[in-house]
Amino acid sequence: MAHRGFSLEGLENTMVAFEGAVELGYRYVETDVHATRDGVVVAFHDHSLDRLTDRVGRIPDLSWREVSRARIGARPQPVPQLEELLGAWPDLRVNIDIKSPGAILPLARVIERTRAHDRVCIASFSDQRRREGLMRLTRPVVTSAGQTTAARFRAAAALPPLVRTPVVARVLAGVDGLQVPVRRSGVEVVTPTTVEAAQEVGAFVHVWTVNEVPEMVRLLDLGVDGIVTDRADLLKEVLQARGEWLG
C-alpha cells in the first residue's frame, strides 16, 4: 500500500503522489483526512499547514478557500480534496485515516455522496473516532482497529493457544483487521504469534511504515497481509521478485 501516495520529492498526499502510485501499478493507497472550517475534507496528514506548505494555520480553523491556496513542495502542488482523489481513479482502493473529530461527519458525507463504501478502509488511532465514523454511514465499510483495540489484541494474542482464539475474536469483533507498526516503544508488535492470532480469526495484518527492503522481506516471510510504505517502488520490486505482485 502506497503511504500518502508515492513521491521521492516530498509531495506526500498530493494528486501527483497518488498518480505516481497508480502509475507504478498500485491498487491501494493510504491517506489522512481533516476537514476545513467549512466542512471540506482534505487529504492531508498534519493538523496544520505549517510543516509541509508555504502557508500556516490549523486546517480546522481555515476555510477551504484559504487551504486551497497552500502549496506543497519545491514543485508546488495544491492540497487535494478527498473527493478529488476518489473521483480521479474510480477503481482505486483508499485507506483513510481520520485525523480529527471534526472530519468524521464531513468524511461520511463524502463516502455517501461518492458511493465509495466498497473501496475504502476507515482507520484511526482513536477507536471512538473510527466507530463514530462508521455509525454515520448507511452501508458497511472495511475498518481497522485503533490503538486501544490493538493493545487489547496484543494481550489476547499472548494467551495460551487453547484459550487464545475466542478471546482474540471478541477483541477484534467489529473490525476487519489491524494496521500496526513493527514495534511500539521498543516492544515487537508484529511477531509470528500476533500474525497467526489475527489471521486465525479472519483479521488482516497490515504493517506501517516499512521502507527498507530487508524488513519488507522479513515481514512478507512472516505472512503479513500488507505493507504500508513510502517506497512503493522498492516494495513493488520485492513483490515482483517473489512472484507476489498483483498490480
Side-chain angles (χ1 to χ4, degrees):
M1 187 186 305
H3 186 233
R4 306 176 196 169
F6 172 64
S7 170
L8 297 179
E9 304 174 73
L11 300 176
E12 64 176 60
N13 275 329
T14 63
M15 293 301 288
V16 166
F18 297 127
E19 183 178 16
V22 171
E23 288 181 348
L24 276 177
Y26 276 79
R27 298 182 297 167
Y28 295 83
V29 299
E30 185 272 349
T31 192
D32 317 275
V33 294
H34 293 276
T36 62
R37 186 179 66 219
D38 45 352
V40 175
V41 181
V42 295
F44 200 80
H45 176 270
D46 295 7
H47 289 271
S48 76
L49 298 175
D50 303 23
R51 179 178 69 92
L52 288 170
T53 81
D54 57 358
R55 302 268 174 157
V56 297
R58 294 180 67 256
I59 291 173
D61 298 334
L62 302 172
S63 68
W64 163 242
R65 183 177 181 182
E66 292 169 309
V67 172
S68 69
R69 294 170 178 161
R71 292 295 180 267
I72 299 169
R75 184 156 63 98
Q77 299 296 316
V79 176
Q81 294 187 22
L82 176 65
E83 197 156 351
E84 182 182 5
L85 168 58
L86 292 173
W89 298 282
D91 296 325
L92 187 66
R93 268 52 178 174
V94 183
N95 196 99
I96 301 171
D97 187 347
I98 308 174
K99 287 297 185 184
S100 58
I104 294 171
L105 179 56
L107 170 62
R109 288 172 173 163
V110 168
I111 293 172
E112 293 290 321
R113 187 162 57 246
T114 58
R115 300 180 181 179
H117 306 75
D118 294 335
R119 60 190 187 98
V120 299
C121 174
I122 300 301
S124 178
F125 284 169
S126 164
D127 279 296
Q128 180 179 349
R129 197 181 302 155
R130 176 186 58 80
R131 285 192 293 265
E132 289 181 6
L134 298 178
M135 289 172 58
R136 296 179 182 275
L137 297 173
T138 59
R139 290 168 50 198
V141 299
V142 173
T143 184
S144 66
Q147 285 186 326
T148 300
T149 298
R152 292 176 58 215
F153 161 77
R154 292 198 300 275
L159 293 171
L162 289 178
V163 298
R164 179 180 72 190
T165 301
V167 178
V168 168
R170 286 197 298 272
V171 168
L172 296 184
V175 300
D176 297 283
L178 297 145
Q179 295 180 324
V180 292
V182 174
R183 57 191 61 84
R184 188 184 298 278
S185 302
V187 177
E188 292 289 322
V189 174
V190 182
T191 67
T193 298
T194 57
V195 172
E196 180 182 60
Q199 292 176 343
E200 68 187 6
V201 299
F204 61 73
V205 180
H206 295 167
V207 189
W208 52 264
T209 302
V210 183
N211 296 328
E212 302 296 330
V213 167
E215 188 73 333
M216 293 174 183
V217 172
R218 185 183 74 84
L219 291 167
L220 291 169
D221 287 344
L222 274 184
V224 302
D225 300 286
I227 289 175
V228 184
T229 183
D230 297 319
R231 292 304 306 265
D233 53 340
L234 298 181
L235 179 58
K236 178 179 178 178
E237 291 175 2
V238 168
L239 291 170
Q240 285 178 322
R242 296 168 64 96
E244 298 173 6
W245 174 248
L246 299 177

Short mmCIF file of all heavy atoms in Angstrom, two decimals, residues 45-72:
data_model
loop_
_atom_site.label_atom_id
_atom_site.label_comp_id
_atom_site.label_asym_id
_atom_site.label_seq_id
_atom_site.Cartn_x
_atom_site.Cartn_y
_atom_site.Cartn_z
N HIS A 45 -1.97 15.07 6.14
CA HIS A 45 -1.62 14.38 7.38
C HIS A 45 -1.64 15.28 8.61
O HIS A 45 -2.26 14.96 9.62
CB HIS A 45 -0.24 13.73 7.26
CG HIS A 45 0.23 13.08 8.52
ND1 HIS A 45 0.97 13.76 9.48
CD2 HIS A 45 0.05 11.83 9.00
CE1 HIS A 45 1.22 12.95 10.49
NE2 HIS A 45 0.68 11.77 10.23
N ASP A 46 -0.94 16.40 8.55
CA ASP A 46 -0.76 17.24 9.73
C ASP A 46 -2.02 18.00 10.08
O ASP A 46 -2.87 18.27 9.23
CB ASP A 46 0.38 18.23 9.50
CG ASP A 46 1.73 17.55 9.33
OD1 ASP A 46 1.78 16.31 9.26
OD2 ASP A 46 2.74 18.28 9.26
N HIS A 47 -2.11 18.41 11.35
CA HIS A 47 -3.24 19.22 11.78
C HIS A 47 -3.13 20.65 11.25
O HIS A 47 -4.14 21.35 11.13
CB HIS A 47 -3.34 19.24 13.30
CG HIS A 47 -3.78 17.94 13.88
ND1 HIS A 47 -5.11 17.63 14.09
CD2 HIS A 47 -3.08 16.85 14.28
CE1 HIS A 47 -5.21 16.41 14.60
NE2 HIS A 47 -3.99 15.91 14.72
N SER A 48 -1.91 21.08 10.95
CA SER A 48 -1.71 22.44 10.43
C SER A 48 -0.95 22.39 9.12
O SER A 48 -0.30 21.38 8.78
CB SER A 48 -0.94 23.30 11.44
OG SER A 48 0.43 22.97 11.44
N LEU A 49 -0.98 23.51 8.41
CA LEU A 49 -0.28 23.61 7.13
C LEU A 49 1.21 23.89 7.29
O LEU A 49 1.97 23.80 6.32
CB LEU A 49 -0.89 24.75 6.30
CG LEU A 49 -2.37 24.60 5.91
CD1 LEU A 49 -2.83 25.88 5.20
CD2 LEU A 49 -2.59 23.39 5.02
N ASP A 50 1.65 24.21 8.50
CA ASP A 50 2.96 24.82 8.73
C ASP A 50 4.13 24.01 8.19
O ASP A 50 5.04 24.56 7.56
CB ASP A 50 3.17 25.06 10.23
CG ASP A 50 2.09 25.94 10.85
OD1 ASP A 50 0.98 26.01 10.30
OD2 ASP A 50 2.35 26.54 11.90
N ARG A 51 4.18 22.71 8.46
CA ARG A 51 5.36 21.91 8.13
C ARG A 51 5.51 21.66 6.64
O ARG A 51 6.63 21.68 6.12
CB ARG A 51 5.29 20.55 8.87
CG ARG A 51 6.48 19.62 8.56
CD ARG A 51 6.39 18.33 9.35
NE ARG A 51 5.29 17.48 8.90
CZ ARG A 51 5.41 16.52 7.98
NH1 ARG A 51 6.57 16.31 7.39
NH2 ARG A 51 4.36 15.78 7.65
N LEU A 52 4.42 21.45 5.95
CA LEU A 52 4.50 20.94 4.58
C LEU A 52 4.22 21.97 3.50
O LEU A 52 4.50 21.72 2.33
CB LEU A 52 3.52 19.77 4.41
CG LEU A 52 3.92 18.47 5.11
CD1 LEU A 52 2.77 17.49 5.09
CD2 LEU A 52 5.15 17.87 4.46
N THR A 53 3.63 23.10 3.86
CA THR A 53 3.22 24.04 2.82
C THR A 53 3.83 25.42 3.02
O THR A 53 4.52 25.68 4.01
CB THR A 53 1.68 24.19 2.78
OG1 THR A 53 1.26 25.11 3.80
CG2 THR A 53 0.98 22.86 2.99
N ASP A 54 3.52 26.30 2.10
CA ASP A 54 4.00 27.68 2.18
C ASP A 54 3.04 28.58 2.95
O ASP A 54 3.18 29.81 2.93
CB ASP A 54 4.23 28.24 0.77
CG ASP A 54 2.98 28.18 -0.10
OD1 ASP A 54 1.93 27.68 0.37
OD2 ASP A 54 3.04 28.63 -1.26
N ARG A 55 2.07 27.97 3.61
CA ARG A 55 1.11 28.72 4.43
C ARG A 55 1.15 28.18 5.85
O ARG A 55 1.75 27.14 6.12
CB ARG A 55 -0.31 28.56 3.87
CG ARG A 55 -0.47 29.03 2.42
CD ARG A 55 -0.89 30.47 2.35
NE ARG A 55 -0.92 30.96 0.97
CZ ARG A 55 -1.64 31.99 0.58
NH1 ARG A 55 -2.42 32.63 1.44
NH2 ARG A 55 -1.59 32.41 -0.68
N VAL A 56 0.49 28.88 6.75
CA VAL A 56 0.42 28.43 8.14
C VAL A 56 -1.04 28.44 8.58
O VAL A 56 -1.90 29.06 7.96
CB VAL A 56 1.26 29.32 9.08
CG1 VAL A 56 2.73 29.25 8.73
CG2 VAL A 56 0.76 30.77 9.06
N GLY A 57 -1.29 27.73 9.68
CA GLY A 57 -2.63 27.71 10.24
C GLY A 57 -3.17 26.30 10.39
O GLY A 57 -2.80 25.40 9.63
N ARG A 58 -4.01 26.12 11.40
CA ARG A 58 -4.65 24.83 11.64
C ARG A 58 -5.79 24.64 10.63
O ARG A 58 -6.61 25.54 10.45
CB ARG A 58 -5.19 24.74 13.06
CG ARG A 58 -4.12 24.76 14.13
CD ARG A 58 -4.73 24.67 15.52
NE ARG A 58 -5.37 23.38 15.76
CZ ARG A 58 -6.68 23.16 15.74
NH1 ARG A 58 -7.52 24.17 15.51
NH2 ARG A 58 -7.17 21.96 15.98
N ILE A 59 -5.83 23.48 10.03
CA ILE A 59 -6.82 23.23 8.99
C ILE A 59 -8.25 23.42 9.49
O ILE A 59 -9.07 24.04 8.79
CB ILE A 59 -6.62 21.82 8.39
CG1 ILE A 59 -5.31 21.80 7.58
CG2 ILE A 59 -7.79 21.42 7.50
CD1 ILE A 59 -4.91 20.44 7.08
N PRO A 60 -8.61 22.96 10.69
CA PRO A 60 -10.00 23.18 11.14
C PRO A 60 -10.36 24.65 11.33
O PRO A 60 -11.55 24.98 11.38
CB PRO A 60 -10.05 22.44 12.49
CG PRO A 60 -8.94 21.45 12.43
CD PRO A 60 -7.86 22.11 11.64
N ASP A 61 -9.35 25.51 11.42
CA ASP A 61 -9.61 26.94 11.61
C ASP A 61 -9.68 27.71 10.30
O ASP A 61 -10.00 28.90 10.29
CB ASP A 61 -8.52 27.57 12.49
CG ASP A 61 -8.46 26.97 13.88
OD1 ASP A 61 -9.50 26.46 14.35
OD2 ASP A 61 -7.38 26.99 14.49
N LEU A 62 -9.35 27.03 9.20
CA LEU A 62 -9.26 27.70 7.90
C LEU A 62 -10.40 27.26 6.99
O LEU A 62 -10.89 26.14 7.08
CB LEU A 62 -7.92 27.35 7.23
CG LEU A 62 -6.65 27.72 8.00
CD1 LEU A 62 -5.43 27.15 7.30
CD2 LEU A 62 -6.53 29.23 8.16
N SER A 63 -10.79 28.15 6.09
CA SER A 63 -11.78 27.78 5.08
C SER A 63 -11.10 27.01 3.96
O SER A 63 -9.87 27.04 3.82
CB SER A 63 -12.43 29.04 4.50
OG SER A 63 -11.47 29.78 3.74
N TRP A 64 -11.90 26.32 3.15
CA TRP A 64 -11.33 25.62 2.01
C TRP A 64 -10.64 26.62 1.07
O TRP A 64 -9.58 26.33 0.52
CB TRP A 64 -12.40 24.84 1.26
CG TRP A 64 -11.94 24.44 -0.13
CD1 TRP A 64 -12.49 24.82 -1.31
CD2 TRP A 64 -10.82 23.61 -0.45
NE1 TRP A 64 -11.78 24.28 -2.36
CE2 TRP A 64 -10.75 23.54 -1.87
CE3 TRP A 64 -9.86 22.94 0.30
CZ2 TRP A 64 -9.76 22.80 -2.53
CZ3 TRP A 64 -8.87 22.21 -0.36
CH2 TRP A 64 -8.83 22.15 -1.76
N ARG A 65 -11.21 27.78 0.91
CA ARG A 65 -10.60 28.77 0.03
C ARG A 65 -9.18 29.10 0.51
O ARG A 65 -8.26 29.22 -0.31
CB ARG A 65 -11.45 30.04 0.00
CG ARG A 65 -10.92 31.11 -0.94
CD ARG A 65 -11.85 32.31 -0.99
NE ARG A 65 -11.36 33.33 -1.91
CZ ARG A 65 -11.95 34.49 -2.12
NH1 ARG A 65 -13.08 34.78 -1.48
NH2 ARG A 65 -11.43 35.37 -2.96
N GLU A 66 -8.99 29.21 1.82
CA GLU A 66 -7.66 29.50 2.35
C GLU A 66 -6.72 28.32 2.18
O GLU A 66 -5.56 28.48 1.76
CB GLU A 66 -7.78 29.88 3.83
CG GLU A 66 -8.48 31.21 4.07
CD GLU A 66 -8.82 31.44 5.53
OE1 GLU A 66 -9.43 30.54 6.16
OE2 GLU A 66 -8.47 32.52 6.05
N VAL A 67 -7.20 27.11 2.48
CA VAL A 67 -6.36 25.92 2.34
C VAL A 67 -5.98 25.69 0.88
O VAL A 67 -4.85 25.28 0.57
CB VAL A 67 -7.08 24.69 2.92
CG1 VAL A 67 -6.30 23.40 2.60
CG2 VAL A 67 -7.25 24.83 4.43
N SER A 68 -6.90 25.97 -0.02
CA SER A 68 -6.65 25.71 -1.45
C SER A 68 -5.52 26.57 -2.01
O SER A 68 -4.96 26.25 -3.06
CB SER A 68 -7.92 25.94 -2.26
OG SER A 68 -8.26 27.32 -2.30
N ARG A 69 -5.16 27.64 -1.31
CA ARG A 69 -4.08 28.50 -1.78
C ARG A 69 -2.70 27.97 -1.36
O ARG A 69 -1.68 28.43 -1.87
CB ARG A 69 -4.27 29.91 -1.23
CG ARG A 69 -5.50 30.63 -1.79
CD ARG A 69 -5.75 31.91 -1.04
NE ARG A 69 -6.90 32.65 -1.58
CZ ARG A 69 -7.55 33.59 -0.92
NH1 ARG A 69 -7.17 33.93 0.31
NH2 ARG A 69 -8.58 34.21 -1.48
N ALA A 70 -2.67 27.04 -0.42
CA ALA A 70 -1.40 26.49 0.07
C ALA A 70 -0.77 25.60 -1.00
O ALA A 70 -1.46 24.95 -1.78
CB ALA A 70 -1.63 25.69 1.34
N ARG A 71 0.55 25.57 -1.00
CA ARG A 71 1.28 24.75 -1.96
C ARG A 71 2.32 23.90 -1.22
O ARG A 71 2.97 24.36 -0.29
CB ARG A 71 1.97 25.61 -3.02
CG ARG A 71 0.99 26.30 -3.97
CD ARG A 71 0.22 25.29 -4.80
NE ARG A 71 -0.73 25.89 -5.72
CZ ARG A 71 -2.02 26.11 -5.45
NH1 ARG A 71 -2.50 25.81 -4.25
NH2 ARG A 71 -2.81 26.63 -6.36
N ILE A 72 2.44 22.65 -1.67
CA ILE A 72 3.32 21.67 -1.05
C ILE A 72 4.55 21.45 -1.93
O ILE A 72 4.42 21.23 -3.14
CB ILE A 72 2.59 20.32 -0.87
CG1 ILE A 72 1.37 20.49 0.04
CG2 ILE A 72 3.52 19.25 -0.33
CD1 ILE A 72 0.45 19.29 0.05
#
